[in-house]
């Protein structure tokens, strides 16, 4: 360390930290958040150099962010440093958790978990359980999307999963933004402008001319282009800049058409060996790290063939919007002023500017009242944009993922969702704590004893519930919200409360099967009064009847309806661990695979074959 740097460090009081060994500095930094660590690095040049160069400091930060610790060393090989790895982990951590949608009513649950230097969103399929239950039977799932890190740790590589003509396909795109408090995940089309010097037109090979690029002329050049029905631009040619016209301003029908068009143009057929490769670590007993690393490298090579961007002209031609472009060109020619007229218009424009300026200064309150009445320029942003206007706002278009925070209203922990937005909504999960021990995800089936098949059936429908606490008029309630139902035809609306228990009111009913000879020995630790869901005035308006919630041995919960003696038995579930032991099934077409917007009361994911005899589709 130079004398100048040492003096500067002593002056700011950081000489003590710089004198510590690297492993001690790493232990201290493990108690800091990444933002605090960056703030500490701004104190002086010495601390900045020490923190930036220390691999152990950033390794400690990576461990704080929650990925499997034994995989961090392997993930480090795919990025420039542990600091770059920490950048990726901190950027995508807000996406981890449970995301849902209202449709189909049986349940649309997407669980985002760690992959291999990536995060993976997988859908839990509505299904039935065999007599061995959740602990022994594999959970059926289907991939939805994944986000990979680049060498600098940026979450820039996005792949949407889908199926086309019976083949597994990937649809590359970009990640537009991820807010730290995001609660809505949008699938959109991003229109971007070219800000750097773009290659001449001879570098833009049309789709049908791709075979003319021979390997003899340059293997690296040939790999930069891909034939997929249109001109596809390789992302490394220029750095695109996002347009100012948001995709959300498009009408739903136009946005859906554009999404389907772009997906069809950037589609990449997945090779059979890659389609069977794991997306995340399956269990601690088998080492999948080599398979996962090889799969990641293959995905990066596929991304080099098709960066996910297509030329705007291709979309205009496919959507029949070329007449708008021709009309704009004709209007531009007709509107060219003559020199004399140009001088008159210049004078009038200056006069108009002065009038506008004087008007703003004289009547500030009037301008504010216009804004409150909704006639200002801000209200115009809420109006729908024309499809050709959106396309003209950029040179390239591609799929994009945007995670943002939106003010949402909820009813009993279930968010109210838009019917015309292709989006997923994050489910707020409460962690168990003193006095609220039963918060979290629970899964189970109807019937007693647990796991015993009903008459004439060998399987039982799986229910996954979100248990959360809510205070209403001074009373603490435990609300069990249904997020997945494995029946043939939906019984109750998605997001409805299966039961509500009053946690400050001890139940007076006895457990019905506590002394039954056919039932295993039951130890009831606690019981609470409540109400359970029943059929009401139509499907959308269920009713409720009295019941009791029983806390049994081994952490089980059982809600019993007082009149019918129906019982719903639940156990706490860890979806990530269940998915590691699960079984993958084919997916839907890409846009529907992300968010299924059609109202449905049956299992739209049914009909796929499975090799398991324990879990079958309803």
């Amino acid at each position: 360390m130079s004398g100048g740097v040492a003096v500067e460090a002593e002056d700011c009081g950081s000489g003590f930290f710089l004198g510590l060994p690297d492993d001690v500095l790493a232990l201290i930094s493990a108690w800091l958040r990444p933002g605090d660590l960056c703030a500490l690095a701004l104190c002086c040049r010495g601390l900045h150099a020490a923190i930036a160069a220390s691999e152990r400091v950033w390794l400690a930060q990576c461990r704080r962010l929650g990925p499997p610790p034994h995989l961090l060393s392997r993930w480090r090989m795919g990025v420039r440093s542990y600091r770059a790895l920490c950048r990726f982990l901190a950027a995508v951590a807000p996406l981890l958790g449970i995301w849902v949608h209202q449709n189909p009513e049986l349940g649309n649950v997407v669980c985002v978990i760690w992959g291999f230097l990536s995060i993976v969103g997988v859908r839990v399929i509505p299904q039935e359980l065999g007599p061995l239950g959740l602990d022994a039977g594999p959970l059926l799932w289907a991939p939805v999307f994944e986000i990979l890190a680049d060498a600098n740790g940026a979450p820039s590589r996005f792949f949407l999963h889908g199926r086309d003509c019976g083949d597994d396909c990937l649809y590359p795109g970009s990640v537009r933004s991820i807010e730290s408090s995001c609660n809505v995940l949008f699938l959109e089309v991003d229109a971007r402008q070219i800000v750097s010097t773009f290659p001449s037109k001879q570098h833009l090979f049309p789709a049908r001319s791709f075979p003319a690029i021979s390997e003899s002329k340059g293997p690296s050049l040939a790999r930069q282009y891909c034939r997929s029905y249109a001109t596809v631009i390789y992302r490394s040619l220029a750095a695109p800049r996002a347009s100012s016209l948001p995709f959300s301003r498009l009408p739903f029908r136009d946005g859906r058409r554009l999404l389907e068009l772009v997906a069809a143009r950037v589609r990449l057929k997945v090779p059979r060996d890659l389609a069977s490769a794991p997306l995340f670590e399956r269990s601690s007993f088998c080492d999948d790290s080599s398979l996962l690393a090889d799969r990641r490298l293959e995905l990066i090579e596929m991304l080099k063939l098709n960066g996910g961007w297509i030329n705007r002209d291709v979309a205009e031609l496919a959507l029949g919007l070329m007449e708008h472009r021709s009309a704009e060109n004709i209007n531009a020619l007709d509107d060219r002023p003559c020199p004399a007229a140009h001088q008159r218009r210049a004078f009038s424009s200056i006069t108009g500017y002065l009038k506008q300026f004087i008007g703003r200064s004289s009547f500030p309150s009037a301008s504010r009242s216009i804004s409150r009445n909704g006639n200002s320029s801000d209200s115009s942003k809420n109006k729908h944009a024309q499809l050709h206007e959106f396309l003209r706002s950029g040179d390239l278009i591609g799929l994009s993922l945007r995670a943002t925070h939106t003010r949402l209203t909820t009813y009993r922990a279930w968010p109210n969702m838009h019917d015309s937005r292709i989006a997923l909504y994050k489910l707020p999960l409460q962690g168990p704590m003193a006095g609220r021990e039963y918060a979290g995800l629970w899964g189970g089936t109807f019937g007693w004893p647990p796991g015993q098949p009903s008459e004439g059936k060998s399987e039982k429908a799986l229910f996954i519930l979100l248990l959360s606490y809510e205070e209403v008029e001074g009373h603490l309630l435990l609300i069990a919200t249904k997020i997945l139902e494995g029946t043939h035809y939906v019984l109750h609306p998605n997001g409805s409360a299966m039961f509500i228990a009053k946690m400050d009111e001890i139940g007076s009913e006895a457990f019905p099967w506590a002394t039954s000879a056919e039932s295993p020995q039951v130890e009831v630790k606690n019981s609470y009064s409540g109400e359970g869901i029943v059929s009401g005035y139509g499907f959308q308006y269920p009713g409720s009847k009295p019941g009791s919630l029983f806390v049994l041995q081994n952490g089980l919960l059982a809600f019993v309806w007082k009149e019918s003696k129906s019982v719903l038995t639940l156990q706490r579930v860890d979806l990530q661990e269940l998915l590691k032991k699960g079984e993958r099934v084919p997916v839907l077409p890409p846009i529907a695979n992300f968010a299924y917007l059609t109202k449905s009361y049956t299992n739209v994911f049914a009909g796929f074959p499975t090799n398991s005899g324990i879990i079958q589709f309803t």
Side-chain angles (χ1 to χ4, degrees), residues 6 23 57 108 129 135 152 180 192 216 220 233 238 243 247 319 354 394 401 437 458 476 498 524 532 542 557 584 589:
D23 54 348
V57 166
N108 192 342
L129 293 180
D135 295 331
N152 296 318
S180 59
R192 299 197 174 186
S216 60
S220 61
I233 311 301
S243 67
F247 177 81
L319 296 172
L354 291 175
L401 199 66
E437 294 83 2
S458 59
L476 184 63
M498 294 297 293
V524 178
L557 297 179
R584 178 177 174 178

Side-chain angles (χ1 to χ4, degrees), residues 501-523:
K502 304 173 183 177
M503 304 308 290
D504 53 1
E505 185 175 328
I506 303 300
S508 58
E509 299 291 327
F511 191 70
W513 297 277
T515 59
S516 175
E518 300 178 357
S519 173
Q521 185 176 0
V522 177
E523 178 185 352

Side-chain angles (χ1 to χ4, degrees), residues 227-242:
R227 180 181 59 187
S228 66
Y229 305 101
T231 304
V232 180
I233 311 301
Y234 182 47
R235 288 174 58 181
S236 67
L237 292 178
R241 182 181 61 190

Side-chain angles (χ1 to χ4, degrees), residues 370-418:
I370 290 175
S371 177
R372 287 193 298 266
N373 292 334
N375 298 323
S376 65
S377 58
D378 294 337
S379 64
S380 62
K381 294 181 181 179
N382 297 326
K383 297 180 180 179
H384 287 311
Q386 298 296 322
L387 184 54
H388 68 276
E389 293 176 352
F390 175 79
L391 293 175
R392 297 297 294 173
S393 65
D395 302 305
L396 307 175
I397 59 174
L399 297 176
S400 69
L401 199 66
R402 181 170 64 94
T404 183
H405 178 80
T406 304
R407 185 176 180 180
L408 296 174
T409 59
T410 60
Y411 180 70
R412 292 177 177 174
W414 185 256
N416 295 319
M417 309 176 191
H418 298 281

Side-chain angles (χ1 to χ4, degrees), residues 237-255:
L237 292 178
R241 182 181 61 190
S243 67
S244 58
L245 189 61
F247 177 81
S248 57
R249 287 189 57 192
L250 288 177
F252 172 72
R253 181 175 178 272
D254 290 343

Side-chain angles (χ1 to χ4, degrees), residues 188-234:
E188 300 178 336
V189 171
D190 202 2
R192 299 197 174 186
Q193 300 173 352
I194 302 300
V195 295
S196 60
T197 303
F198 200 70
S200 57
K201 290 185 177 181
Q202 58 264 29
H203 290 286
L204 298 180
F205 297 93
R208 300 184 184 277
S209 66
F210 179 77
I213 308 175
S214 61
E215 291 290 337
S216 60
K217 293 182 180 180
S220 61
L221 181 64
R223 286 194 298 268
Q224 291 181 359
Y225 301 90
C226 176
R227 180 181 59 187
S228 66
Y229 305 101
T231 304
V232 180
I233 311 301
Y234 182 47

